[in-house]
């Protein structure tokens, strides 16, 4: 059985449904700090869990006899930069609690890192799997510490920990909460609703991106990978493509020719974005567990606009 924390978030809300489809609804226990109407809560076991409550996490894991923990509960980069102390307590406190439960119950363990685990002194183009990591954001500090902690629990206690460094994730099911790459999600909503978008990230700012179906597949593929093939564990660079705001504008215009974008740069999120790589090297993930993204920018844009259009139309009919 699999316990997912942060199950109502951008990744969790889709991962839970995919895991329930693959392994059976009663095999996947979704948890989050609050409940919310919808498939995640109604299609299988759901528990209210604040991941800073170690006893509650232990009790839930024990109650369901889980053998895998997928720990997604966290504050993303922009929110973390605005509230660094809360970010440390939630991102690190939650992670330590989850790793301790994994150690006590002997479960497998997954938690995502991010391209945010790299900083301004990291080589920016084709960023290597193993390279300098001195991020200048609280989120990045959390991600580097998290990677080191997960590797420690593997080497010291034999906990089977695995992780990926996610790029910006784009999806139409649940919006991200307070990230720097969220512009790449907002632009699609605005393109459909208003045919215009004002980007808070400046023209020419390249970041790695990935469509959520590829991200979900990456998590499942890594967790099912043969452990003997893994020389890395926390965490693998993964990406689908590198893009700047104007690339999204061009891709969207192929479907909505009248779409217009302008810029209203947010200095906080712009400086976070500039401290991250332009593009990362994901060859280790390909070599060690065969990961290949399937959606490039154009293929993602076609699917995203189609799915989002019908979602927004249905929402209006409610
Ligand atoms: C964020 N979407 O913007 C997350 C992610 C690489 C970006 O970590 O904080």
């Amino acid at each position: 059985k699999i316990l997912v924390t942060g199950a109502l978030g951008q990744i969790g809300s889709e991962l839970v449904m995919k895991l329930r489809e693959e392994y059976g609804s009663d095999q996947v226990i979704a948890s989050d700090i609050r409940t919310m109407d919808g498939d995640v809560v109604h299609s299988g076991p759901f528990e209210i869990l604040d991941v800073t409550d170690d006893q509650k996490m232990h009790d839930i894991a024990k109650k369901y006899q889980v053998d895998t923990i997928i720990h997604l509960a966290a504050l993303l980069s922009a929110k973390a930069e605005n509230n660094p102390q809360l970010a440390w307590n939630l991102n690190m406190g939650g992670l330590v609690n989850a790793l301790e439960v994994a150690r006590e119950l002997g479960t497998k363990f997954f938690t995502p890192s991010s391209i945010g685990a790299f900083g301004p002194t990291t080589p920016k183009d084709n960023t290597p799997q193993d390279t300098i990591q001195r991020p200048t954001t609280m989120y990045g500090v959390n991600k580097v510490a998290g990677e080191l902690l997960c590797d420690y629990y593997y080497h010291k206690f034999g906990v089977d920990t695995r992780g990926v460094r996610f790029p910006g994730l784009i999806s139409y099911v649940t919006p991200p909460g307070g990230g720097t790459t969220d512009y790449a999600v907002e632009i699609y909503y605005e393109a459909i609703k208003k045919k215009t978008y004002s980007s808070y990230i400046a023209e020419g700012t390249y970041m790695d991106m990935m469509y959520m179906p590829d991200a979900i597949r990456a998590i499942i593929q890594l967790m099912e990978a043969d452990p003997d093939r893994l020389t890395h564990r926390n965490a693998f660079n993964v990406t689908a493509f590198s893009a700047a705001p104007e690339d999204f504008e061009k891709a969207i215009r192929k479907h909505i020719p009248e779409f217009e974008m302008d810029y209203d740069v947010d200095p906080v999120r712009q400086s976070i974005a500039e401290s991250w790589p332009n593009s990362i090297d994901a060859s280790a993930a390909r070599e060690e567990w065969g990961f290949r993204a399937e959606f490039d920018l154009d293929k993602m844009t076609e699917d995203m606009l189609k799915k989002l259009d019908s979602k927004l139309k249905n929402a209006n009919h409610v």
Side-chain angles (χ1 to χ4, degrees):
K1 291 202 173 164
I2 303 168
L3 171 62
V4 179
T5 70
L8 295 175
Q10 185 195 11
I11 300 173
S13 58
E14 296 196 50
L15 179 65
V16 164
M17 300 314 289
K18 187 71 184 163
L19 290 172
R20 284 179 174 164
E21 192 187 303
E22 297 248 326
Y23 302 116
S25 292
D26 60 345
Q27 298 299 304
V28 184
I29 297 87
S31 70
D32 208 304
I33 196 162
R34 72 212 184 291
T35 186
M36 192 167 80
D37 232 1
D39 294 346
V40 169
V41 173
H42 298 303
S43 68
F46 179 84
E47 295 278 353
I48 298 273
L49 171 61
D50 174 345
V51 293
T52 59
D53 180 345
D54 57 336
Q55 190 55 53
K56 181 81 183 289
M57 196 187 309
H58 182 277
D59 295 348
I60 290 172
K62 205 136 177 66
K63 169 182 169 186
Y64 291 94
Q65 296 294 311
V66 302
D67 55 40
T68 300
I69 294 176
I70 298 185
H71 180 60
L72 303 176
L75 278 190
L76 294 184
S77 57
K79 245 188 202 160
E81 211 48 33
N82 290 331
N83 205 330
Q85 288 72 22
L86 171 66
W88 178 269
N89 293 334
L90 169 53
N91 290 349
M92 303 320 294
L95 178 58
V96 169
N97 290 345
L99 282 166
E100 271 300 283
V101 172
R103 181 178 65 78
E104 285 153 16
L105 303 186
T107 77
K108 278 173 85 168
F109 189 87
F110 174 90
T111 199
S113 179
S114 157
I115 58 172
F118 297 118
T121 54
T122 303
K124 281 208 175 303
D125 298 310
N126 212 24
T127 303
Q129 174 66 41
D130 301 308
T131 184
I132 188 163
Q133 293 178 257
R134 295 194 66 79
T136 49
T137 63
M138 171 53 86
Y139 180 74
V141 168
N142 296 157
K143 289 304 178 185
V144 172
E147 291 185 11
L148 296 174
L149 205 54
C150 290
D151 274 352
Y152 177 82
Y153 267 73
Y154 171 65
H155 290 295
K156 178 91 177 181
F157 303 117
V159 179
D160 184 353
T161 60
R162 308 177 190 196
V164 296
R165 290 171 186 145
F166 273 136
L169 297 182
I170 292 145
S171 62
Y172 56 85
V173 176
T174 305
T180 296
T181 59
D182 299 1
Y183 87 88
V185 177
E186 293 167 5
I187 192 168
Y188 289 99
Y189 281 80
E190 299 304 303
I192 291 172
K193 288 183 199 169
K194 297 185 339 199
K195 300 198 183 337
T196 64
Y197 179 63
S198 196
S199 172
Y200 61 75
I201 292 291
E203 186 167 11
T205 310
Y206 281 86
M207 288 186 273
D208 285 280
M209 299 284 179
M210 180 182 279
Y211 198 27
M212 188 60 78
D214 276 333
I216 301 301
R217 197 165 44 77
I219 294 172
I220 295 172
Q221 199 172 333
L222 174 56
M223 292 312 278
E224 291 182 345
D226 172 2
D228 298 339
R229 286 184 58 196
L230 304 180
T231 45
H232 295 86
R233 282 186 166 261
N234 303 284
F236 286 91
N237 287 359
V238 291
T239 184
F241 56 88
S242 166
E246 63 271 25
D247 298 317
F248 285 92
E249 179 187 33
K250 214 160 61 213
I252 290 169
R253 276 206 181 129
K254 291 177 186 169
H255 303 271
I256 307 175
E258 65 277 28
F259 175 63
E260 293 285 334
M261 185 174 79
D262 61 25
Y263 295 90
D264 177 13
V265 176
D266 164 14
V268 171
R269 287 182 286 186
Q270 182 61 27
S271 71
I272 294 174
E274 285 174 2
S275 74
W276 291 353
N278 297 324
S279 64
I280 62 175
D281 169 9
S283 52
R286 192 170 49 252
E287 285 151 17
E288 296 178 35
W289 47 283
F291 179 68
R292 270 181 178 67
E294 292 174 3
F295 287 87
D296 62 13
L297 176 55
D298 281 333
K299 193 173 169 198
M300 175 184 77
T301 298
E302 185 175 359
D303 194 65
M304 185 73 181
L305 287 173
K306 193 170 64 192
K307 302 280 178 56
L308 198 48
D309 197 43
S310 55
K311 175 185 169 185
L312 296 175
K313 279 201 180 88
N314 295 341
N316 293 340
H317 295 156
V318 181

